[in-house]
Amino acid sequence: MAEAANGTGASRNTRGRRSRRKNPDGTMTLIEHVYEFRRRLGFALLFIVIGGIFGWIWFEQHLGPIPSLGNIMNGPYCAIPASQRFGGDQGTCRLLATQPFEVFMVRLKVGVAAGAVVLSPFWLYQFWAFIAPGLYSKERKYALTFVGFASVLFAAGAVLAYLLVPHALALLAGLGQDQFITALTADKYISFILSLLVIFGVSFELPLIVVMLNLVGVVKYQQLKRWRRGILFALFVFAAFATPGSDPFSMLGLAAALTVLFEIAIQIARFHDRKRDKVRQDEGWDKLADDEAAPFDYTPSTVEEDEPATSPRSRSTDDIT
């Protein structure tokens, strides 16, 4: 068996050396792409696991001036007046655990979510390193711009949701006056907070999608201008259904923020279309006849001018087979 194992390992090394001799420019076959994806996915999961361990420790440990993750998550609940909170008259601010493993699962859920966010540059890089060689330089620039703005908008949406939650909880807790007291279970409260953060973060990506569709020519400013009233109405309807709470603060906050972002997206589309129309006018594209060729540069470029030789686009048909 040892000889068979040694033979298998030697054959793999031989195949690896043969592959490198056959493709000295670094191109890969289809099966090698699958192996590369598996390797990148493994590293990404490893970073997420490391982030989960970090989040588990951070849940009850202060990181210098940064409070513990548990205190951050309990902040909106602790903002409820003490007279309306269970155990608040004793100066405590704790959630209820009604099942034996509820505390463990809540801490694990929050730790993994927070760790994934903190270490997101590391595991996102693994996916970027997998797809980047297959993109042209212009496509890589657009992709990096989109990812950068998407990350900022998602963080802004999550922060807005976190700021609105205390007001929403205070309003809902105050409806009962002296007849009720707010005693939230840890699992439902944490699930409510995380879902609200994700919903606000993802919703903030919608205006960015509109901008990208305008840049590629799918949607034009004149169309967005005609659809403005319908879009605003749809935003309020979307906010009413998307927010998990029944309070008006979350709905109005999300709808108002999306309205501002969509208006910014419309103005960006206006500027882009105006610039594109000016280029078309300067080049005389609109004056061309239907059977007249556009004044484009039809000289084909070489692979070396557009992308590195290691790009999968540069491999031949024989490499795929």
Side-chain angles (χ1 to χ4, degrees):
M1 294 180 64
E3 294 179 356
N6 293 334
T8 303
S11 62
R12 289 179 179 176
N13 294 332
T14 303
R15 287 197 300 268
R17 289 193 297 268
R18 188 185 305 118
S19 176
R20 285 191 294 271
R21 287 196 300 267
K22 183 180 179 181
N23 302 315
D25 57 351
T27 57
M28 294 185 296
T29 62
L30 179 60
I31 191 63
E32 288 173 338
H33 275 289
V34 175
Y35 289 152
E36 176 68 11
F37 177 76
R38 184 180 64 180
R39 187 174 71 90
R40 294 294 182 181
L41 181 61
F43 279 117
L45 293 177
L46 177 62
F47 283 117
I48 292 178
V49 171
I50 295 175
I53 297 175
F54 168 77
W56 176 277
I57 299 174
W58 182 24
F59 191 88
E60 62 180 10
Q61 299 292 332
H62 292 265
L63 301 179
I66 302 177
S68 65
L69 188 58
N71 291 337
I72 294 177
M73 298 301 297
N74 286 359
Y77 174 69
C78 296
I80 299 176
S83 59
Q84 302 173 2
R85 190 177 64 243
F86 181 76
D89 53 351
Q90 301 176 0
T92 59
C93 178
R94 297 181 180 179
L95 298 170
L96 297 178
T98 59
Q99 298 178 5
F101 291 97
E102 185 171 353
V103 176
F104 174 82
M105 294 305 299
V106 167
R107 184 170 178 177
L108 180 64
K109 182 191 302 184
V110 176
V112 171
V117 173
V118 173
L119 296 185
S120 59
F122 297 94
W123 59 266
L124 285 176
Y125 170 78
Q126 301 301 321
F127 294 101
W128 172 253
F130 177 75
I131 65 174
L135 302 176
Y136 293 111
S137 58
K138 186 177 181 180
E139 294 173 338
R140 287 196 292 268
K141 182 182 68 174
Y142 276 118
L144 287 176
T145 302
F146 179 83
V147 172
F149 279 102
S151 302
V152 173
L153 289 175
F154 186 91
V159 170
L160 177 62
Y162 186 81
L163 296 177
L164 291 176
V165 168
H167 302 284
L169 291 178
L171 175 64
L172 296 176
L175 296 177
Q177 299 297 329
D178 298 333
Q179 287 76 28
F180 298 92
I181 191 169
T182 304
L184 301 179
T185 60
D187 181 60
K188 293 183 177 180
Y189 170 77
I190 295 299
S191 298
F192 171 77
I193 296 295
L194 292 179
S195 61
L196 198 63
L197 297 180
V198 172
I199 289 174
F200 270 67
V202 173
S203 300
F204 272 44
E205 310 294 340
L206 298 179
L208 180 60
I209 296 177
V210 173
V211 173
M212 298 302 296
L213 291 177
N214 174 258
L215 293 179
V216 298
V218 177
V219 178
K220 297 183 179 180
Y221 165 71
Q222 294 299 330
Q223 294 174 322
L224 296 174
K225 183 179 179 180
R226 291 196 305 267
W227 300 342
R228 180 183 275 115
R229 294 183 179 179
I231 291 176
L232 295 181
F233 177 76
L235 291 179
F236 278 86
V237 175
F238 170 78
F241 284 95
T243 50
S246 58
D247 62 285
F249 286 102
S250 301
M251 183 195 72
L252 293 178
L254 179 59
L258 290 180
T259 300
V260 174
L261 291 177
F262 263 96
E263 186 61 32
I264 295 176
I266 292 175
Q267 296 305 318
I268 293 176
R270 178 184 181 183
F271 174 78
H272 174 260
D273 288 355
R274 181 183 300 176
K275 181 179 179 181
R276 183 188 56 191
D277 294 340
K278 185 176 184 303
V279 172
R280 291 176 61 91
Q281 183 178 2
D282 295 339
E283 296 292 337
W285 296 354
D286 297 332
K287 299 179 181 179
L288 296 175
D290 294 338
D291 57 348
E292 187 177 357
F296 294 138
D297 184 10
Y298 295 99
T299 304
S301 59
T302 62
V303 175
E304 289 77 9
E305 294 177 355
D306 287 339
E307 57 184 332
T310 57
S311 173
R313 291 177 184 255
S314 62
R315 65 179 184 272
S316 62
T317 307
D318 297 335
D319 295 333
I320 299 179
T321 58

